[in-house]
Structures are given as structure tokens and as C-alpha cells.
Amino acid sequence: MMTQKDPGAVPLSNPSAAFLRVAAAAIAERGSAFYRALGPEEELEWLESSLALIWAAASGEDVAEECAETLDELGEESQADQFDSSYPEFFAARSLELVGNAMATALRPAPERVHASSVILREMLSILDFRLGGSKTVITRYGDPAPPLGPLESREVQEEQGVLDAQSATGEFDSESVVRIKEHAVRFAAEVLPRIRDCFDIEVT
């Protein structure tokens, strides 16, 4: 389970396959805002079709073959290590990594993969919070409580908790719950998208 230093909601203790697929899909959807803002425009149609596949799997549809083909095209190696976080390409590659993780989770549910996706997205949102907040470094003395999470990272933790709360006692989801989770994730991405553009001075043409 998560520790107090990691207040997220991706359980590592016996989560159901359904929970892992839905959680991974929601994280990828929320993180897709970074790729929509910073990725190649010609790849956005591919992004949308990939997210549709991920959600189909999360809804219980048999799309394993399509997911495997898409994952082969994408590859599981992140390109983010080629850049540091001052480059837009870093965030685009991380966002793509979330899609790959969700696609792999659709095929082989693993809590470690979903937890890794949670950490990646919160890291990106934390950096975004820092930059939008004026890039002011907060120094805390040893033993002092850590500073509070920024508004976007805090929202992400709430979104993760919402997915956790929506599952049944057996870790399953009804179709309405999956639809609501997707709607929340799409709305979150839409809200974050202009903040990313502001952060990187991207004008919409």
C-alpha cells in the first residue's frame, strides 16, 4: 500500500485486473494532455485511436490482438531519457509512456506498471505546478513536514482516489462507472491542456 509520503491511490496489495486496466486507462487519458500540447500534430489521430483501444479493454472488450499490435508499433522503451525536463519533448515522451503502460496493462495487468504510471504523471504535474507557480524553490529543514502538493498534482491524487472509490467490493466496475471515470479523465486533460501551453508559450493557431 501507499505510504504517508506517497498519498496516491494505486494499491499494490492484490488489486483486481479490472481495477488495474481502468486505473491505467484513466492515467493515460489524463496524461494525454501533454502529448496533445507538445507532441507531433500528425500523431494525434494515432493517440486518439490508442486511447480508444485502452478504454475498450478497460470496459471488458476483447481487443487483445489490437492492443498487442499497437504496443509493438509503440515499443515499451521510453524516449524521455534523451531529454531533461526543460524540453517539451521530455513531457511528450513521458505522456506516450503512459499510453504504452496502459496498453501493456490491458494485456498483462501488473500493479507495478500502474504505480509507475501514477508516479510519472504526478512528476510531470509537479513540474508544471512549480513552473506555473513562478519556479520558487521551497527549502524545508530536516524533520519539517514536506510542503503541500501543488494544485494540479493534488487534483491528480484526487482523481486516482476517485477510481479507487468507484470499484465494487470485488474490484470490478459496472459500465456506468467506467464511463464516468473516462469522462472525469477527459475533463481533467482538457483543463490541464491550456496550462501546459501557457507553461511552454505555445500559441494555438
Side-chain angles (χ1 to χ4, degrees):
M1 300 295 290
M2 296 296 166
T3 66
Q4 290 183 342
K5 292 183 179 180
D6 187 359
V10 181
L12 298 178
S13 176
N14 300 320
S16 69
F19 171 81
L20 294 173
R21 290 190 177 102
V22 172
I27 291 171
E29 186 73 57
R30 293 193 296 269
S32 70
F34 287 92
Y35 201 77
R36 289 190 173 97
L38 305 173
E41 187 173 351
E42 63 271 17
E43 295 292 335
L44 295 184
E45 185 175 345
W46 176 90
L47 174 68
E48 296 299 337
S49 63
S50 296
L51 289 170
L53 264 182
I54 291 165
W55 281 112
S59 299
E61 296 182 32
D62 183 7
V63 289
E65 185 175 345
E66 295 92 330
C67 286
E69 291 175 356
T70 305
L71 191 60
D72 284 342
E73 294 173 5
L74 177 62
E76 295 195 57
E77 292 298 322
S78 172
Q79 303 298 313
D81 291 343
Q82 298 179 18
F83 311 98
D84 64 42
S85 60
S86 63
Y87 288 87
E89 292 86 352
F90 170 86
F91 296 92
R94 281 296 197 208
S95 179
L96 206 59
E97 189 174 349
L98 299 179
V99 174
N101 279 353
M103 199 74 70
T105 299
L107 296 169
R108 300 177 299 278
E112 295 80 6
R113 185 178 290 121
V114 180
H115 179 62
S117 286
S118 171
V119 171
I120 288 169
L121 182 52
R122 281 194 242 157
E123 175 191 31
M124 291 197 293
L125 292 170
S126 176
I127 295 171
L128 195 59
D129 279 329
F130 178 69
R131 291 183 175 179
L132 292 172
S135 300
K136 297 178 181 178
T137 301
V138 178
I139 300 175
T140 57
R141 294 177 297 181
Y142 180 78
D144 287 349
L149 300 179
L152 296 177
E153 187 181 4
S154 180
R155 279 279 310 281
E156 170 59 21
V157 172
Q158 293 171 11
E159 292 291 330
E160 291 180 9
Q161 184 64 50
V163 176
L164 186 62
D165 293 342
Q167 65 182 332
S168 68
T170 60
E172 301 300 315
F173 296 85
D174 58 37
S175 58
E176 291 183 1
S177 295
V178 176
V179 169
R180 284 196 300 270
I181 290 168
K182 181 180 179 181
E183 289 174 347
H184 274 276
V186 169
R187 190 179 306 122
F188 180 92
E191 292 173 4
V192 173
L193 183 60
R195 310 299 302 275
I196 299 170
R197 288 172 173 157
D198 289 344
C199 184
F200 288 94
D201 295 323
I202 297 173
E203 296 183 4
V204 180
T205 57

